[in-house]
Amino acid sequence: MNRTWYAPRRLLSYLLVAGIAVTALFPLAWMAISGFKGQNEVLRTPFQFFPDVWRLDNYRLILEDPPFVRAMVITFVGAVIFTVASLVVNSMAAYAFARLEFAGKRWWWLVCITPMFVPAMAILLTSFVVVSKLGMLDTLAVLIIPGVASSAQMFFLRQFYLNMPAAVEEAALIDGATRWQIFLQIFVPQSLGPFVVVGIASFLGYWNSYVWPVLVISNPDLTQIMQYLATFRSARGNEWGMLMAGSTLAALPTILLVLIFQRYIVNGVRLAGIK
Amino acid sequence: MIDTSTQPTGQATEAIDPSGTSRRRRGRRAKFTEEVPRHLRAHLTAYLMITPMVVLLGIFVVWPLVYAFYLSFFEMSFYKDAEFVGFDFYKYVLTDPEFYESLLVGLKLALMVVPTILVLALLLASFLATLSKRMAAFMKTTVYVPAVVSSVVAAIIFVFIYQDEGFANWFIGLFGQGPLAWLNTASTALPAVAVPAIWLGFGVSTLIMLAGILDIPESYFESARLDGANFWQRTRYITIPSLRNVILFLLVSGLTLTIQEFQLPLVMTNGGPVNATNTPNLYIFNSFRDATPYATSYSLTAALLLFIVIGTISLVIFRVVSSEKSSDA
């Protein structure tokens, strides 16, 4: 009885896999495919998934649109700087809290971890006041600097450093290495996995952010990609195919990131140790 | 039969990860027993290492937070100096029906989104755990992809899906249901916002549950299967009890995050129709943008009150999760 039960079971699981994948990816597929549709095809009765004729016009037009390209480039540059800066700031603090003893450590720990519990909305307005008093409005800096220090990421990296064996560190100390050398030459090279996890989180956070740019950026040269998309309709009217093409291209970097680093992301869930 | 197989849960969880636990244990012990010699204590290095973090958090989190509390005690005005009004704004917020209405909307949204995600994630994770390595890897990536899509892009996609000529109406049309104005009808707007929220959120929850399920010793499922337990019985008596902490974590963090959701309704409906999708943070955000100083003070106070509630909840989760961790280490 088992045998007859198992063969259809495998078929069933393939069908389920296909079904789940199609359902999960349907909205994205619809978006990407709508980018190939003509002007009046995106919204048309009866609903149609594929275009009558596949055209590249929308993708070509949006890539020839200087504000779109500028938004993509400037957001990408910002996201890369943001990610690197976050890794530097958060991993240094994580190392210090995990492996070093210093006066007032408990107190500084509280200072660095409490922000994890402050929702963005509670400080949104006053953060705006602060950055405008600092004269940072409409600069790349205002998009990058305020979010660089992240308590959650620091906490995550510290957990990882706490679990690293002490033996190598002790041996290096006996050999006369400084803490900086130990951090840079022993800890950082071994942190690839966790760095990828928090690095992707930083990149996504920056790339996908919308509300903060809306508040602090009015200079069109610095418009972020999500800002561009959200205002597309008022700026460009009913060019739905182009909007779909633009949204697809804007989602592409994040999806590529996942595909490239998929191995690390799945491990990251375990590294986070939520279980 | 099934009950006996669930009993050894406690012991066996300790038995399965000797490698992980012992490594961690050794690390801890070394750290605590090792008397750090005075000359090795690294005050200066440590301070240099935490300085960027402390300075940035100080300027961009602590200062705005203190400033927000300070401002919430003042009434600002274009015409005169800010006036100290004590707890007046707190009183206004706490007696304002619109604030409670928005809280109710947030709560309803959370009740639609979080249980759906949990059930979906549990089913998907249970299924993924049965797949071959290559299949599982493919599926893990697939369910994770929607999680990296931005709220703005998701909102744009779903606005189109909900149009008169969109996919949603075509789909219900297959069952003979008439086209709905999804985002313009008070009763359907909030569920319509919940769907993209679920779509964006289920992937991460699934991966977290999967990690939990893979930690349950396979022998439990084997013996349950030998005893003739079906999928539902195995889920009910083995998977769910073993994942208690994971589920609790996902439940509470999901609730706090979803109550704070506002980018989806901001782009999709801007709170309408008749405030049906006006979540607390959207309500607060739109009052921020309202240029009158009174609205600013008001919404600032509302945001702080929300923060106190949500911050307390997340602090409790954090405590639970990290105490869990220290007890097994």
Side-chain angles (χ1 to χ4, degrees), chain A residues 20-31:
Chain A
I20 294 165
V22 168
T23 313
L25 300 180
F26 171 81
L28 289 173
W30 179 80
M31 167 178 75

Side-chain angles (χ1 to χ4, degrees), chain A residues 181-202:
Chain A
Q181 286 168 328
I182 293 172
F183 172 61
L184 292 171
Q185 288 166 18
I186 300 176
F187 279 70
V188 171
Q190 293 201 38
S191 317
L192 185 64
F195 272 23
V196 168
V197 173
V198 294
I200 288 180
S202 295

Side-chain angles (χ1 to χ4, degrees), chain A residues 27-43 55-63 65 68 72 210 224-252, chain B residues 149-161 163 267-268:
Chain A
L28 289 173
W30 179 80
M31 167 178 75
I33 287 170
S34 294
F36 293 102
K37 290 180 178 172
Q39 175 80 31
N40 303 316
E41 260 184 293
V42 177
L43 285 178
R55 319 155 197 268
L56 283 169
D57 301 7
N58 293 317
Y59 285 96
R60 192 175 45 78
L61 283 171
I62 196 89
L63 283 173
D65 182 37
F68 174 79
M72 288 285 276
Y210 167 59
Q224 300 291 290
I225 185 65
M226 293 305 148
Q227 248 181 310
Y228 173 91
L229 291 177
T231 53
F232 183 89
R233 212 164 119 185
S234 48
R236 301 298 300 257
N238 297 355
E239 298 190 51
W240 304 136
M242 261 175 84
L243 176 57
M244 288 299 128
S247 303
T248 306
L249 294 174
L252 211 55
Chain B
V149 174
S150 80
S151 303
V152 172
V153 169
I156 291 173
I157 299 174
F158 276 85
V159 163
F160 278 89
I161 285 180
Q163 292 304 303
V267 180
M268 291 174 75

Side-chain angles (χ1 to χ4, degrees), chain A residues 1-13:
Chain A
M1 183 196 157
N2 267 349
R3 201 164 286 165
T4 50
W5 189 59
Y6 269 101
R9 198 180 152 213
R10 178 180 283 165
L11 184 69
L12 187 71
S13 82

Side-chain angles (χ1 to χ4, degrees), chain B residues 235-309:
Chain B
T235 304
R236 165 78 182 79
Y237 293 103
I238 301 176
T239 317
I240 294 180
S242 312
L243 291 184
R244 207 181 48 239
N245 291 327
V246 175
I247 293 174
L248 187 75
F249 167 80
L250 290 176
L251 179 72
V252 184
S253 60
L255 287 176
T256 52
L257 282 177
T258 315
I259 286 180
Q260 298 182 70
E261 174 63 61
F262 77 107
Q263 291 201 38
L264 287 172
L266 173 67
V267 180
M268 291 174 75
T269 58
N270 201 16
V274 278
N275 291 342
T277 56
N278 206 13
T279 61
N281 271 352
L282 183 57
Y283 174 56
I284 292 165
F285 183 68
N286 279 336
S287 335
F288 277 162
R289 296 200 291 186
D290 186 337
T292 62
Y294 179 85
T296 307
S297 306
Y298 175 92
S299 56
L300 195 67
T301 313
L304 287 174
L305 280 168
L306 202 63
F307 154 56
I308 292 168
V309 175

Side-chain angles (χ1 to χ4, degrees), chain A residues 14 24 103 119 126 163 262 275, chain B residues 47 64 135 141 199 215 260 307:
Chain A
Y14 284 136
T126 41
N163 292 335
Q262 43 179 315
K275 10 169 208 131
Chain B
Y47 290 139
M135 274 293 198
T141 309
W199 182 64
D215 277 346
Q260 298 182 70
F307 154 56

